[in-house]
Amino acid sequence: MILLLNPLLEGLEAARRAAADAIHPNDEVTVDDQGIHWVFEFIPRGEMLGGGARVSVAKDDFRILKVVRGQ
Amino acid sequence: MNRMACEPTFRNYIDRNSENVLDPLTEPAIIGEIGRAWRESQPDDPANRHEEGGYILLNPDLSYEIARWPRGGQSRIAPPPPDARNCYNGKVVSATFHTHPNPPVDEAGLEWEQGPSESDRRWHMRRKLRGFVIGRLLIYEIDVNAAIHVLGKREEVLGL
């Protein structure tokens, strides 16, 4: 069992679960603090075009607000 | 002829005389090939829609030809790598193109980015190559600095 104490990390894990079909553990991740929510962007590495996802997560309860898959 | 096409003298000529090289999207044959790739992406078939793409190659007589890539997946495609001089099959790569067949919201309710993804931008920035992204509504250009421009509506640019 992993106990996450850092809210940002908890938000990141929520984002990973929400876009699990579109992302890879090796993806680069960026985060944009939008005040009441974060926007996590998962960017595939390597020679592939497309893929990845942008996930918006509420800070207060880690709700998934939006998932947009890349292509 | 193929070997000559990628010699430094030809590359230098292209770099110094870019105004003499037609934009590939003004060539009916190239537009036709991109349109064919779009149709082969099966954008209207939820179970089979997938990405298609290719290189737009410049011949020594300044005409263009297309070298298609292997079929991609639903939201990804892997270009065969060009060489360090940005040549492929011994010819200068002028630009790339690939399709984005997924709609803004698909039949399962999933949302899809319509324009170039960050990995699209980075791939073209690494190689200093221009690329065209064929979306359901619009055609986008990724320039050699990875800036994104909208070229127009797909149906108008491709005549589809």
Side-chain angles (χ1 to χ4, degrees):
Chain A
M1 179 178 170
I2 300 172
L3 181 62
L4 296 173
L5 299 176
N6 183 326
L8 182 62
L9 289 178
E10 194 157 346
L12 173 59
E13 287 309 308
R16 283 191 194 283
R17 287 192 296 273
D21 61 301
I23 65 175
H24 186 275
N26 191 40
D27 286 350
E28 179 180 333
V29 185
T30 65
V31 59
D32 184 11
D33 189 330
Q34 292 281 314
I36 61 169
H37 68 277
W38 296 291
V39 178
F40 296 96
E41 183 160 14
F42 298 88
I43 305 165
R45 301 179 199 271
E47 295 303 302
M48 194 76 79
L49 298 178
R54 196 169 55 249
V55 184
S56 301
V57 181
K59 287 184 179 179
D60 56 355
D61 58 1
F62 308 111
R63 268 178 303 119
I64 301 301
L65 304 175
K66 193 177 185 69
V67 180
V68 180
R69 287 159 174 79
Q71 56 178 336
Chain B
M1 187 66 88
N2 283 353
R3 287 183 59 198
M4 288 177 59
C6 230
E7 284 184 348
T9 50
F10 182 64
R11 295 306 307 249
N12 290 341
Y13 173 82
I14 297 302
D15 291 343
R16 292 175 184 169
N17 295 274
S18 58
E19 71 277 8
N20 293 334
V21 180
L22 282 174
D23 190 295
L25 289 190
T26 64
E27 291 279 315
I30 297 303
I31 290 174
E33 283 295 311
I34 293 174
R36 187 164 66 90
W38 173 255
R39 290 190 297 275
E40 290 175 359
S41 292
Q42 299 174 269
D44 297 324
D45 182 344
N48 293 301
R49 63 173 64 110
H50 64 279
E51 297 199 5
E52 295 278 353
Y55 289 122
I56 302 172
L57 304 176
L58 188 60
N59 291 311
D61 64 359
L62 304 186
S63 65
Y64 288 107
E65 67 177 67
I66 296 280
R68 290 282 295 273
W69 300 337
R71 174 189 168 115
Q74 184 189 8
S75 61
R76 298 173 185 227
I77 192 165
D83 70 18
R85 302 167 300 170
N86 272 345
C87 291
Y88 182 74
N89 286 346
K91 295 182 179 179
V92 173
V93 176
S94 172
T96 74
F97 71 94
H98 73 282
T99 62
H100 279 182
N102 296 288
V105 180
D106 70 16
E107 294 77 1
L110 302 179
E111 292 187 45
W112 295 90
E113 186 70 59
Q114 295 300 291
S117 65
E118 185 60 24
S119 64
D120 291 349
R121 288 184 62 253
R122 290 183 178 191
W123 190 97
H124 287 83
M125 187 162 58
R126 278 198 299 276
R127 289 173 175 77
K128 294 287 181 189
L129 274 176
R130 187 181 182 200
F132 302 109
V133 173
I134 318 303
R136 294 177 77 96
L137 179 63
L138 300 173
I139 293 185
Y140 306 83
E141 178 190 355
I142 307 169
D143 72 21
V144 295
N145 297 309
I148 295 169
H149 312 275
V150 174
L151 296 185
K153 291 184 177 178
R154 176 179 56 79
E155 292 181 350
E156 292 172 2
V157 175
L158 298 184
L160 295 172

